[in-house]
Structures are given as C-alpha cells and as structure tokens.
C-alpha cells in the first residue's frame, strides 16, 4: 500500500517553516525520507525506526508515530536549497526490511 | 567511483526492441535495488539483490523484465519487447546492507517510441 503524503505542494518564503506528513494504512517498521531535485537522484535525509523516534539533521527533523502509522518531516527556517520534492518511503513490519514503498511526493518551493 | 553510476543516462528505443540498463553500485555495498519512476510519482520498487541473488523480484511488472547481478557488484536490468508504457526513469540504488540507507544513482531515462 502506497503511503499518502500531504500536502501535495507547498510554497514558502525563505526562513519560513513547513511540515510534510506521511501516513500509511499498514503497520510500519521504518520510514525513510528523501529529497529529489528536478532531474537528479533522490538524496537520503534520514531513517526513522518504530518506537516513536525523532531525529534531527541540521534544521530538518522528523518524527515517527508507530501507533498512528505516520511520520512527519519538519523543515525550520527554510533555505532556498530546501526546494525539491520530498518523498517518504515506508518499510512494512512484515519482515522484509529492505523493500521501500514510496509516496507520490510533496513539492516544496522556497522563494527568496 | 564515489557514488552509484548508471549507464546510459538516456536511452531512446523503438517499440519491440530489447534494452539493457546498467548499474554500478558503491563499492562494498551488498544490497542493490532497481526502481522505476514515472513523471510526478515516487520511485516504484522493481527488484532487490542481496549479493548475487535476487532476494525479491515481486515488483517486476511482467516477464519482459529481468535483472542480473552475476558477480555481486554491477547489475543489468534487461527489458525485452519494449512497450511505450515502459518509458520512465529507471533508478538504481545500493546500500551497505539490507535495510540501511539507500544511495541512488542519477537514473536512466528510457523513452520507447
């Protein structure tokens, strides 16, 4: 089952904050977040494992609520370089700890 | 090389032809994945290798698609009798071990005319 990402698109001014959500209808083992710029390869941001984990990475952080089967990516004080499409990839708790199912992505545009 | 490389970067072929797409993973990475990405969509899982063996090929759409990794390093995705619906960007990724973060290559843009 493909995870659902929201919003589909968001436009920010430099310095503003954004939250991107990723929800699944099935139990999850982990959530992987990637950012992809147009015409380029997806770039890894972070992995969150089940257990209500929260991680931070510069001004980008994320949380994973195992019970709600959802993850949120938080971008604070956005920079122009944050522009791109953000994908969450989910890994089911059924045992296959390698196969990612990606959402359709959230297009983030940061303007000066 | 420093990252995952894929060749060719672009491939234009005619309907019915055979194509091969190559992936060179990061040295030492035992896990290798193939994905397909259509415009406006996230990567769609095709097949996963652990070493030389295909651990899961459940994402391959049909028997026209086949992939190999004979020496546990370079992998080739093979598509027979290509169809226009096969047009997409084919991404390869590798990771140190299964479940670890995946490093993606730049992809091969396949266009079937």
């Amino acid at each position: 089952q493909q995870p659902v990402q929201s919003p589909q698109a968001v436009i920010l001014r430099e310095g503003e904050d954004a939250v991107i959500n990723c929800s699944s209808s099935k139990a999850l083992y982990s959530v992987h977040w990637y950012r992809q710029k147009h015409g380029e390869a997806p770039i890894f941001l972070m992995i969150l494992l089940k257990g209500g984990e929260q991680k931070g990475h510069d001004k980008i952080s994320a949380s994973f609520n195992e019970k709600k089967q959802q993850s949120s990516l938080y971008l604070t004080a956005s920079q122009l370089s944050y522009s791109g499409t953000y994908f969450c990839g989910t890994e089911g708790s059924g045992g296959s700890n390698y196969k990612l199912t990606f959402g359709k992505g959230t297009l983030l545009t940061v303007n000066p | 090389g420093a990252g995952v490389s894929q060749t060719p970067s672009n491939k234009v072929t005619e309907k019915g032809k055979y194509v091969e797409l190559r992936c060179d993973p990061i040295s030492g990475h035992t896990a290798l994945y193939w994905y397909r990405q259509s415009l406006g969509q996230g990567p769609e899982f095709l097949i996963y290798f652990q070493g030389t063996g295909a651990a899961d090929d459940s994402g391959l759409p049909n028997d026209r698609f086949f992939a190999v990794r004979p020496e546990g390093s370079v992998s080739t995705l093979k598509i027979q009798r290509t169809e226009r619906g096969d047009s997409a960007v084919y991404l390869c990724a590798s990771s140190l071990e299964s479940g670890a973060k995946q490093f993606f290559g730049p992809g091969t843009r396949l266009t079937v005319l």
Side-chain angles (χ1 to χ4, degrees), chain A residues 43-85:
Chain A
I43 300 297
F44 172 82
L45 295 176
M46 62 189 76
I47 296 176
L48 298 105
L49 302 178
K50 65 179 181 179
E53 191 175 30
Q54 183 150 1
K55 274 192 174 181
H57 166 44
D58 200 3
K59 293 179 182 174
I60 300 175
S61 62
S63 62
F64 178 25
N65 188 320
E66 179 190 352
K67 289 183 179 178
K68 292 185 177 180
Q69 297 159 191
Q70 64 186 37
S71 176
S72 295
L73 186 71
Y74 307 93
L75 302 109
T76 58
S78 60
Q79 304 168 18
L80 297 177
S81 62
Y82 287 5
S83 292
T85 301

Side-chain angles (χ1 to χ4, degrees), chain A residues 2 32 34 36 39-42 44 47 87 91 97-100 102-104, chain B residues 33 35 37 40-43 45 48 56 58 98-102 104-106:
Chain A
Q2 185 177 41
H32 301 223
Y34 287 81
Q36 186 177 32
E40 298 181 8
F44 172 82
I47 296 176
F87 293 101
E91 184 181 1
N97 61 339
Y98 53 80
K99 181 176 174 178
L100 295 182
F102 285 91
K104 292 186 176 182
Chain B
Y33 316 80
Y35 295 88
Q37 187 174 28
Q41 301 293 319
F45 171 83
Y48 153 69
D56 186 338
S58 63
S98 62
K101 62 182 179 182
Q102 297 181 23
F104 281 82

Side-chain angles (χ1 to χ4, degrees), chain B residues 16-37:
Chain B
K17 298 289 188 182
Y18 168 82
V19 296
E20 288 189 353
L21 311 179
R22 175 189 168 107
C23 172
D24 206 331
I26 293 173
S27 179
H29 281 196
T30 61
L32 185 146
Y33 316 80
W34 282 98
Y35 295 88
R36 178 168 69 175
Q37 187 174 28

